[in-house]
Amino acid sequence: MLSILHRFESLRQTRGVSMLIPLAELKVGQRLIVLPGETIPSDGHVIEGTASVDLSAMTGETTPVQVSANHRSTAVGGTTCLDGRLRVEVTAVGDDTRLAEMIALVDSAQMAKARAQRVADRIAAIFVPCVIALAVSTVVGWSLTGASWEHAVSAAVAVLVIACPCALGLAMPMALVIATGRGAQLGIFLKGHSALELSGTIDVVVFDKTGTLTNGRPQVSGVYTVDNNSTELILGWAATLEQHTSHPIATAIAAAAGPQSLPAPVEVVTDVGSGVRGVIDGLRVQVGSPTWIARTAAVPAALDAQRADVERSGGTAVYVAVDDAVRGLIDIRDSAKPSARQAVDELHRMGLRTLLVTGDNAGAAQRVAAQVGIDDVTAGVLPAEKVAIIDDARRSGACVAMVGDGINDGPALASADLGIAIGGGTDVAIGAADIVLVRDDLTTVALALHLASATRRTMRTNLAWAFGYNIAALPLAAAGLLNPLIAGAAMALSSFFVVSNSLRLQNFARVDH
């Protein structure tokens, strides 16, 4: 039985009554009380209170983050509440928590064999029989020259002792295990050693916009209507449908609309990357991109002109159509993440090409691209078109990495040579990616690629030493120039070099300019 206990308030208990239970008995839907200095035991939503939380266990970020019920903050299991009292409703327990998922990724990465390691294993499999054959040949050779039996056996033993398949076997896995562990400390989680290998061959990095390059917390900056509809009604229709999606734009509309009194929608259908439609109180309502809605709904000239103005100024226009006629337009604005410009500049210094590919309009995409320093922009694309863009780049010979966070990024993340998901993104994006960046800091994209380069250099050094040592040492041993005791010490030093060289990766901390 687990000895760690946490205070929680159960939904089934009378209000104000609390009790202590073992962590293993915690269930989804229960409400925890987290006091200052306590570790948050599981993932959940903050429903009461405000506190600073230490996220270093998950993200490696040393600066505490403020969480509160007012901002509908998410509580992450394994992090520490530094001050304040939080009431948290549990949304995931055990193996379903983000911390457990990240640990599982590290475990699977460290258990998986890289392609280069498989090559080293095949070489080691051939190497051992060759060493045995060389030892036998050494005995026979010295015997034929008339040397004493003791000298012949001593030379053969030196051959067997100094041969170091251990160095060959450790050259790759030691570097990879240390690198994946260090990556986890920096908030970079690898879904296998192949992700680490591919990270060093990237030529092009493709970015999504909303939630990836931008903060993912857009706000409604304006609502425009026709037919004397009120802005509250337009927002109400939109929010009632958008509650069925997880896109940041949906969150912005819901926040602007506030509490709704409209009936619950029925026949709700989400078209990923385009919008959502359903029936509200007998009315057929659509909310989504202008291109998608204009296919089936009439657009008044005034709203079409307003859409053009919004997009030229860098906003995102969302149409609201009712019964096949557009009734309103919502102007959504988002800003670039502070780390985006630094991340893109670092990728350019590395000689990589960057692209911005988004389903948003060209005006909003160009505004964000100008802010972060990306010149190549493709806007207004659907998820399938993102995949086509990546496939075209791969067919041209480029090795492509895709960075995204949303459901609509899932196919592109899976089709790219290397998929990189922002840890705060959707489960679909995280599931499709090869690398998960837990920290909401885009500079970790370049950091992951630099870690891969450092790891490859370490592996090459290890292999060069392992091969060079054996090539130089075995002839000396066969020639009878090495005492078996000296040979044993040399063999141990060879393995020590490989291990200590790999351990240097634990000091990897930043990108050097």
Side-chain angles (χ1 to χ4, degrees):
M1 178 181 292
L2 294 175
S3 59
I4 300 175
L5 300 180
H6 287 271
R7 184 184 305 271
F8 88 99
E9 186 174 12
S10 173
L11 290 170
R12 296 169 297 178
Q13 300 291 327
T14 304
R15 183 175 179 82
V17 177
S18 62
M19 60 181 292
L20 290 171
I21 64 166
L23 181 59
E25 295 179 9
L26 195 62
K27 294 184 176 113
V28 173
Q30 291 176 333
R31 294 182 175 182
L32 300 162
I33 297 175
V34 183
L35 301 178
E38 289 186 341
T39 298
I40 300 174
S42 197
D43 294 353
H45 296 301
V46 177
I47 58 175
E48 185 180 295
T50 301
S52 297
V53 176
D54 179 5
L55 298 177
S56 59
M58 277 293 293
T59 67
E61 186 63 57
T62 57
T63 304
V65 174
Q66 194 83 3
V67 300
S68 69
N70 294 335
H71 294 87
R72 300 185 298 276
S73 301
T74 298
V76 181
T79 59
T80 304
C81 178
L82 300 178
D83 55 29
R85 177 184 183 274
L86 296 177
R87 191 162 170 246
V88 178
E89 183 173 328
V90 177
T91 58
V93 296
D95 293 338
D96 295 327
T97 62
R98 288 182 62 188
L99 181 60
E101 290 173 357
M102 297 301 101
I103 292 173
L105 289 181
V106 175
D107 289 343
S108 64
Q110 294 187 342
M111 290 297 292
K113 275 193 178 181
R115 183 176 60 253
Q117 176 59 29
R118 291 193 294 270
V119 173
D121 286 347
R122 287 196 293 269
I123 293 173
I126 299 172
F127 176 78
V128 173
C130 290
V131 169
I132 294 174
L134 178 61
V136 173
S137 300
T138 299
V139 173
V140 173
W142 279 109
S143 298
L144 292 177
T145 62
S148 66
W149 177 249
E150 289 81 2
H151 182 78
V153 172
S154 177
V157 170
V159 168
L160 292 173
V161 170
I162 204 167
C164 194
C166 299
L168 284 172
L170 290 172
M172 306 294 293
M174 276 301 299
L176 290 169
V177 167
I178 298 298
T180 53
R182 183 57 183 152
Q185 292 175 339
L186 296 172
I188 303 167
F189 288 85
L190 306 157
K191 293 185 178 180
H193 291 159
S194 59
L196 194 57
E197 290 180 328
L198 285 170
S199 299
T201 61
I202 297 301
D203 304 303
V204 178
V205 180
V206 179
F207 286 96
D208 173 51
K209 183 181 78 69
T210 305
T212 301
L213 286 175
T214 65
N215 288 311
R217 293 186 294 272
Q219 297 179 333
V220 174
S221 64
V223 181
Y224 307 91
T225 68
V226 296
D227 299 334
N228 297 319
N229 294 125
S230 68
T231 58
E232 291 79 9
L233 182 58
I234 292 296
L235 280 173
W237 279 330
T240 301
L241 281 183
E242 292 284 20
Q243 66 182 333
H244 294 272
T245 71
S246 60
H247 197 279
I249 287 178
T251 303
I253 293 174
Q260 297 300 312
S261 59
L262 292 172
V266 296
E267 301 177 20
V268 178
V269 177
T270 299
D271 193 328
V272 176
S274 297
V276 59
R277 63 182 184 272
V279 177
I280 303 174
D281 200 18
L283 300 173
R284 290 180 288 107
V285 181
Q286 291 176 280
V287 183
S289 69
T291 303
W292 180 64
I293 288 184
R295 295 173 184 172
T296 57
V299 183
L303 283 185
D304 188 52
Q306 187 63 54
R307 173 200 58 79
D309 289 341
V310 168
E311 293 180 352
R312 273 195 299 269
S313 64
T316 298
V318 175
Y319 276 166
V320 180
V322 180
D323 289 338
D324 299 331
V326 176
R327 297 287 193 87
L329 180 151
I330 303 174
D331 182 1
I332 306 290
R333 305 275 170 161
D334 196 4
S335 58
K337 290 179 179 177
S339 61
R341 181 74 192 213
Q342 182 182 350
V344 172
D345 288 345
E346 180 59 33
L347 292 173
H348 288 167
R349 279 191 288 269
M350 295 170 64
L352 305 181
R353 179 185 169 210
T354 56
L355 286 76
L356 172 57
V357 180
T358 177
D360 210 343
N361 66 79
Q366 291 289 352
R367 181 176 65 88
V368 172
Q371 290 176 346
V372 303
I374 296 178
D375 297 323
D376 198 336
V377 179
T378 305
V381 296
L382 297 173
E385 293 171 323
K386 288 185 180 182
V387 173
I389 291 171
I390 290 173
D391 288 343
D392 287 343
R394 294 180 65 195
R395 279 193 291 270
S396 68
C399 190
V400 182
M402 170 70 192
V403 186
D405 73 315
I407 293 176
N408 59 333
D409 297 323
L413 288 166
S415 64
D417 294 293
L418 184 72
I420 304 175
I422 307 299
T426 63
D427 291 341
V428 173
I430 293 173
D434 302 297
I435 295 177
V436 179
L437 306 179
V438 179
R439 294 168 59 185
D440 192 15
D441 183 349
L442 286 174
T443 59
T444 51
V445 174
L447 193 64
L449 300 182
H450 277 280
L451 176 60
S453 297
T455 304
R456 287 197 320 279
R457 287 195 300 271
T458 300
M459 290 190 297
R460 284 197 294 265
T461 303
N462 287 350
L463 286 174
W465 169 260
F467 280 113
Y469 161 83
N470 282 289
I471 291 173
L474 287 174
L476 292 175
L481 300 178
L482 291 177
N483 184 284
L485 292 177
I486 297 176
M491 184 272 294
L493 287 173
S494 176
S495 297
F496 174 78
F497 174 85
V498 169
V499 172
S500 59
N501 188 50
S502 299
L503 287 172
R504 291 171 58 243
L505 289 170
Q506 287 185 329
N507 297 323
F508 180 88
R510 62 183 177 85
V511 177
D512 295 319
H513 301 305

